[in-house]
Amino acid sequence: MQGLWPLVAAYAVIWAALFGYLAWIAGEQVRLRQEICELRKSLPPASEDRHRHLGR
Amino acid sequence: MAFVAFGVTFGASLAYLIGRRPAWDRVACAAAEIGELFAGLVLVTGVLWARTAWNTWWTWDPRLTTMLVLWLIYAGYLLVRRSVEDEARRARLAAVLGIIGFADVPIVALSIRWWRTIHPAVFDDKGAHMEPRMLVALLISLVAFAFLFASLMVVRVHLSELRDELESLQRSVL
């Protein structure tokens, strides 16, 4: 059992890194979507008309 | 799989320099970041393995050293991406680095043949030198990590698209 520690440590490192990376991506996506939403709201009306005209 | 990721960065960087399409820059960036993650995992789990196999955490063996250099090259690549403001200049600089940095990949792969090393040479011209059950486990994890790489690429490229959309919106507001 004592000889298994490198395997357990390796699994822990791999899972921690992967979940950490996925959590960072998810957090960034939420933040960027919020910022995009806020910016779209603050766009001047002329620009909104243009977007509507373009069908966006 | 880190080598594959850096290979994707190399190909996408080359494609960006030829066609100047931002989509290639996004692919190169995503692959470099995921490759860096995988290379980091190789180094950390390798250190754990070395402690058991060689009774030392780290030794300046050619394979280990060149792998560390590879990790540092792509860490530099990611730092350059963060430090340059201008979008076109950033993409151009990163593409050049992505191409030059890839030169270390064959050096890492062949280091165990070129220099005297304590790192085992698992694969050579005569095939794989490992227990058949270990080879099966290796192939299964290779397939699993290939799927993981592809999935992470999709998610990471989408994140870059969102970033670009935000940047263009910010420009139109200002």
Side-chain angles (χ1 to χ4, degrees):
Chain A
M1 193 65 192
Q2 220 179 3
L4 277 179
W5 75 264
L7 194 67
V8 175
Y11 268 110
V13 166
I14 291 168
W15 285 113
L18 289 179
F19 278 112
Y21 186 56
L22 281 173
W24 174 77
I25 288 177
E28 278 289 291
Q29 279 197 357
V30 170
R31 185 184 67 80
L32 289 170
R33 277 183 209 280
Q34 277 174 347
E35 279 190 42
I36 288 168
C37 249
E38 280 167 24
L39 268 175
R40 280 207 178 126
K41 278 183 207 161
S42 68
L43 275 174
S47 180
E48 274 179 16
D49 287 344
R50 186 167 56 88
H51 277 258
R52 223 172 283 140
H53 174 70
L54 291 170
R56 288 177 195 169
Chain B
M1 201 45 66
F3 290 172
V4 173
F6 294 143
V8 171
T9 300
F10 172 79
S13 299
L14 210 60
Y16 175 79
L17 286 182
I18 294 166
R20 303 284 163 142
R21 283 184 60 198
W24 286 121
D25 180 52
R26 287 196 282 265
V27 170
C29 171
E33 202 175 279
I34 298 163
E36 187 72 347
L37 175 77
F38 285 173
L41 286 175
V42 167
L43 285 169
V44 174
T45 53
V47 158
L48 294 168
W49 178 82
R51 181 72 179 102
T52 316
W54 302 333
N55 204 28
T56 180
W57 296 103
W58 182 266
T59 170
W60 294 102
D61 177 86
R63 168 54 77 81
L64 276 64
T65 309
T66 49
M67 189 67 200
L68 179 65
V69 169
L70 183 70
W71 188 86
L72 289 171
I73 287 170
Y74 283 92
Y77 172 93
L78 295 172
L79 279 174
V80 164
R81 292 199 72 98
R82 280 178 177 265
S83 58
V84 181
E85 288 270 322
D86 182 62
E87 214 174 303
R89 192 163 162 259
R90 177 177 61 210
R92 204 170 53 244
L93 258 175
V96 172
L97 263 179
I99 291 166
I100 296 171
F102 187 71
D104 194 36
V105 169
I107 297 174
V108 179
L110 296 170
S111 59
I112 46 174
R113 294 190 200 183
W114 289 347
W115 296 292
R116 281 166 62 91
T117 169
I118 55 169
H119 196 283
V122 181
F123 296 98
D124 62 17
D125 303 332
K126 290 166 194 158
H129 301 284
M130 62 168 69
E131 287 284 316
R133 283 195 301 172
M134 277 182 80
L135 188 63
V136 171
L138 176 74
L139 291 174
I140 290 171
S141 26
L142 206 62
V143 171
F145 267 85
F147 275 111
L148 180 67
F149 171 63
S151 316
L152 286 175
M153 275 297 286
V154 171
V155 179
R156 186 59 186 80
V157 167
H158 181 59
L159 184 69
S160 291
E161 284 167 357
L162 282 177
R163 265 194 194 144
D164 288 354
E165 190 183 342
L166 179 67
E167 277 182 20
S168 76
L169 269 173
Q170 278 169 338
R171 273 196 301 271
S172 65
V173 166
L174 291 173

